[in-house]
Amino acid sequence: DIVLTQSPDSLAVSLGERATINCKSSQSVFYTSGNKNYLAWFQHKPGQPPKKLIYWASTRESGVPDRFSGSGSGTDFTLTIRNVQAEDVAVYYCHQYYSTPWTFGQGTKVEI
Amino acid sequence: EVQLVQSGSEVKKPGTTLRISCRISGYNFNDYYLHWVRQAPGKGLEWVGLIDPADAERKNAEKFRGRVTLTADTSTDTAYLGLRSLRSDDTAFYYCVRVGGSIGFDHWGQGTLVTVSS
């Protein structure tokens, strides 16, 4: 199974500052035939289904503010939230869909 | 509009069997895999399993082996998650999720809260 390890577990940022979340995979999630990393980032707020922010490691989902960005390849990935807003308070998960069982990181709680 | 509508909350006793549904609309049921993901209170997201409605191919996480049943009824465009021998640590929100090909999960059900308590 592919294990995803996020850091940090929690993060307190000031409004308008930058938040950076890292995700390290135990195996590469780069799909060579498609030239894509099968790694996504989700935002999860209580009482709601998770919301996908990023897929293919760096492609922003339609409608997601451009202050959210993803980077990385292979086994190391980063989600960056620039200019953090109050509504960004949530738990963020990285997720690999390269191989079953699909897995998630343990989550990073972002607070203001 | 793509929609995944799940059945309502359930309260179950330990040792009993759960069955929750996920009815889709807005697309061809046979064209996309459906997965199940759960989140227990205070815990992270956990993948439960998947089913291909077209041919009923299914896979599930090893920890659920022998307890989980994933089915798909193409006559009603509905997927089902069955979980037997329920335990208190099965208490969680359960989500059905559509897979949009190489982009991964693209549409989520609203979630079904399952509480296992004596």
Side-chain angles (χ1 to χ4, degrees), chain B residues 69-110:
Chain B
T69 302
L70 303 178
T71 57
D73 184 344
T74 57
S75 68
T76 60
D77 291 347
T78 303
Y80 296 92
L81 166 65
L83 190 61
R84 50 187 168 273
S85 302
L86 287 169
R87 309 186 290 247
S88 58
D89 63 359
D90 291 317
T91 294
F93 272 98
Y94 288 77
Y95 298 96
C96 60
V97 200
R98 194 186 83 161
V99 171
S102 69
I103 67 171
F105 292 145
D106 66 350
H107 290 277
W108 293 67
Q110 83 276 20

Side-chain angles (χ1 to χ4, degrees), chain A residues 38 42 44 48-50 52 55-56 93 95 97 100-102 104 106, chain B residues 35 37 39 43-45 47 50 59 95 99 102-105 108-109:
Chain A
Y38 280 24
F42 286 88
H44 196 194
Q48 302 177 18
K52 189 166 67 178
Y55 58 95
W56 294 336
Y93 295 91
H95 159 65
Y97 51 103
T100 54
W102 289 13
F104 295 88
Q106 81 275 18
Chain B
H35 290 229
V37 172
Q39 185 184 34
K43 303 289 188 182
L45 298 171
W47 184 77
L50 68 87
K59 296 181 183 179
Y95 298 96
V99 171
S102 69
I103 67 171
F105 292 145
W108 293 67

